[in-house]
Amino acid sequence: MAKNKSSHLELVLIQLISDVLEKSNKEALNYKQVSAKLNITDSDAKETILDILKQQAKKGIFAEPERGKFRLKDLKTFIIGKVDMTADGAAFIVPDDEFEKDVFVSSRKLHNALHGDKVKVYIYAKKSGRKNEGEVVEIIQRAKTDFIGVIKISDRFAFVNVDDKKMLHDIFVPLSDLNGAKNGQKVQVSITDWPEGAKNPIGKISTILGEQGENNTEMNAILAQYGFPLSFPPEVEKEANAIPEQVSAAEIEGRRDFRDTVTFTIDPADAKDFDDAISFKKLDNGNYEIGVHIADVSHYVRPNSALDKEAYGRATSVYLVDRVIPMLPERLSNGVCSLRPNEDKLCFAAVFELDEKANIITQWFGRTVIHSNRRFSYEEAQEVIETKEGDHAEEILKLNELAYILREKKFKEGAISFESTEVKFKLDEYGKPIGVYVKERKDAHKLIEDYMLLANRKVAEFIAKKGKGKQKYTFIYRSHDSPNLETLNTFALFAARFGYKINTKSDKEIAKSLNYLMEDVEGKKEQNVLTQLAIRSMAKAVYTTKKTSHYGLAFDHYTHFTSPIRRYPDVMVHRLLAAYLNGEKSANEEEYEIAASHSSAMEKRAADAERASIKYKQAEYLEDNIGNTYTGIISGVTEWGMYIELMANKCEGMIRLRDLTDDFYVLDEKNYCIVGQRKKKTYQLGDEVQVKVKKVDLSKRQIDFSLIQ
């Protein structure tokens, strides 16, 4: 069996033999013993096994401690990992074991494995200086079997051209499995089979999403692409509809009553789900009682109910450009749980007594009932702050004053202030973008954020300090690791080109200099580029049961307690907090860690879906502007092109390197730039350029620019 020329069947046999030798616990076995353990009696098959044992022994994979007997020498002959597909159809396998190196697999040796699949890979014996190479021998788990695309129907067969850039195969659909789909429609297709040796998988149409290019079709296509259901199952809706909207006397019993305390909500003007309210009372001792009241979702959504299982699966609400796909049915998210004004509502609260310097004198956690006096939009609350008059002006102004002190303390302790620009679209009645604007964050936004941060932090601290070591209580924390110093140093070198200095000597110095940077860069052309690069140099925040700190906020302990209508981790936090307040024992850590990991994965998926909807609307907005010229800033560089963010509307597209004909340009990854090989002309991240809109591909959500030199 020639090296790197193994048949797929032989590789499977090597895998099976390796499994037998590994289970023999270093005991040496001859080929008859291996055959017996594999239940092989055929003499020719036994000879094949002997040949494989000898050949692999020559390669140094199996050892031959005594003549005719073998054992597994290198347990790393196979690795398990996830497929990371490249644009040309090859892939890198990212091992589950973080200490292992990635393994390159050519397109011929993927054996129908797709992007994201969990696979077992045979690693070829490595020649000195070469990268790890291998071949997929088993697809352990498919990442997905459903894909979104446009169906093309001919007289004898049909194909779905898949939207997903990482899916490099069209899917063959027999005419009997069209499910009513018509030529050119956007559809969801499920892979049903992929015969060995066949170029394309076979599938059947599961959902017809609609006509290509229609707003509703395209938004639903994005949701389906990222695995978010388009509706709730009937049993979930039935369970939700059975919950009465009115709060009964029995439900109020045992709760702390805040119905006579001034309480209000502050949310976006178009919000429908109000999951947090603030209560305010001046105490006789001159201090202030401030309550952060959160919708008591866990009172209505009980463990293992149909509602709970659906919420767990979704894990988060999804915010696309023109719609919200809620984690909970509308009956709960916009009705029963929503803290609407002039209605009694059940809450879970964190209540603080603060003095004039925003020091916490006392704190209390528990279930409450409120009666919101007013629903403010951010704009209305901001007007009260700026004019110092209007409904509840006294309360809002004092809350804002204390919020400023809380914010200042947070930054003094090392929190980082990332103020990236948020793009919003003005849409017409058909969902078509007719304008783009940047959303402003003012004091009213920050006020609410500061009190939510306070509640999240103090709830986490309360549980973290309840028990230590083996006595610690299982809880869901929001964890954010320190940045990778190598990545941060690269960013610091780049920021220095714009005249900004990043001190990387300690976590506190990093935070301080990043805050200076964020302050200095505000309103400048390089703001978004530097902010996004700074964020990328940070670790990603995740949910976990481990008591780790939140670097970005400079909190020793942090959780998510304040948004259970739209985040499942918050529901779990409410349940755990309620249990521990009632004196119950610690919950099962392994079970909650699995749930935390799932929530982190779904959060990322929701963010990807949101970005896809923004990309689509940006492409749709520029579709009517082909040929127009704009000033842009280089926002990203890759081996194949430069990303350009237009300064006028924040739309982002690409100039492909193959379209730059004055030189041969290559990526200088370390210095964030593209360099011409002959003339040495450089295009640096953050440079201002003039571009023309060349091409827009709505189906791929891509914008191509040409450079005006």
Side-chain angles (χ1 to χ4, degrees), residues 153-270:
I153 305 173
S154 67
D155 291 340
R156 290 180 294 145
F157 54 81
F159 277 96
V160 173
N161 301 132
V162 177
D163 289 350
D164 189 340
K165 295 173 196 169
K166 296 280 188 177
M167 175 56 166
L168 304 177
H169 308 271
D170 292 339
I171 299 172
F172 174 79
V173 180
L175 296 181
S176 57
D177 288 326
L178 290 177
N179 198 17
K182 294 175 183 173
N183 189 50
Q185 284 186 320
K186 204 107 179 184
V187 296
Q188 183 170 355
V189 59
S190 302
I191 293 177
T192 55
D193 190 20
W194 199 338
E196 183 71 34
K199 183 182 176 184
N200 299 91
I202 298 168
K204 66 177 181 181
I205 305 303
S206 53
T207 309
I208 299 166
L209 296 166
E211 298 304 318
Q212 189 180 3
E214 286 183 0
N215 181 65
N216 209 44
T217 299
E218 298 300 338
M219 293 301 108
N220 283 341
I222 288 169
L223 290 167
Q225 179 184 336
Y226 288 97
F228 289 100
L230 305 180
S231 60
F232 287 94
E235 65 272 19
V236 173
E237 292 280 13
K238 184 180 177 183
E239 206 172 271
N241 291 334
I243 298 171
E245 287 212 20
Q246 297 300 316
V247 174
S248 68
E251 289 175 308
I252 292 172
E253 200 174 324
R255 290 175 180 265
R256 192 166 160 184
D257 197 334
F258 280 80
R259 285 178 292 179
D260 292 331
T261 303
V262 172
T263 305
F264 44 79
T265 59
I266 305 177
D267 291 282
D270 57 355

Side-chain angles (χ1 to χ4, degrees), residues 549-600:
S549 63
H550 195 292
Y551 174 80
L553 293 171
F555 294 161
D556 289 336
H557 306 291
Y558 190 65
T559 190
H560 275 171
F561 167 77
T562 53
S563 293
I565 288 177
R566 62 185 180 90
R567 293 189 304 226
Y568 194 78
D570 303 54
V571 178
M572 293 190 285
V573 163
H574 282 213
R575 284 177 183 158
L576 291 169
L577 179 58
Y580 301 151
L581 288 170
N582 289 334
E584 294 179 27
K585 65 179 184 178
S586 183
N588 182 294
E589 185 177 346
E590 187 180 350
E591 180 186 316
Y592 274 94
E593 184 60 36
I594 291 168
S597 180
H598 168 71
S599 293
S600 296

Side-chain angles (χ1 to χ4, degrees), residues 484-526:
N484 177 294
L485 272 181
E486 187 181 339
T487 309
L488 196 65
N489 281 326
T490 305
F491 169 70
L493 286 171
F494 176 68
R497 295 174 186 271
F498 293 88
Y500 303 107
K501 188 177 179 184
I502 307 294
N503 186 337
T504 59
K505 283 182 181 175
S506 69
D507 283 356
K508 225 161 194 177
E509 288 300 323
I510 291 168
K512 194 190 291 184
S513 50
L514 281 173
N515 283 335
Y516 282 137
L517 167 65
M518 293 302 127
E519 204 174 301
D520 290 349
V521 83
E522 194 167 347
K524 295 180 182 173
K525 65 179 183 181
E526 65 266 22

Side-chain angles (χ1 to χ4, degrees), residues 371-418:
H371 191 94
S372 175
N373 302 93
R374 174 77 149 82
R375 174 255 200 272
F376 286 95
S377 67
Y378 282 121
E379 292 76 14
E380 289 168 337
Q382 186 63 34
E383 190 176 346
V384 172
I385 291 168
E386 290 173 4
T387 64
K388 297 181 170 47
E389 57 185 36
D391 291 350
H392 304 295
E394 184 183 342
E395 292 88 351
I396 288 176
L397 290 169
K398 180 50 73 174
L399 283 165
N400 192 45
E401 184 186 317
L402 295 170
Y404 260 93
I405 300 170
L406 289 170
R407 206 173 308 148
E408 196 177 331
K409 285 180 181 177
K410 180 181 71 178
F411 292 134
K412 271 185 183 173
E413 288 168 7
I416 302 169
S417 171
F418 286 123

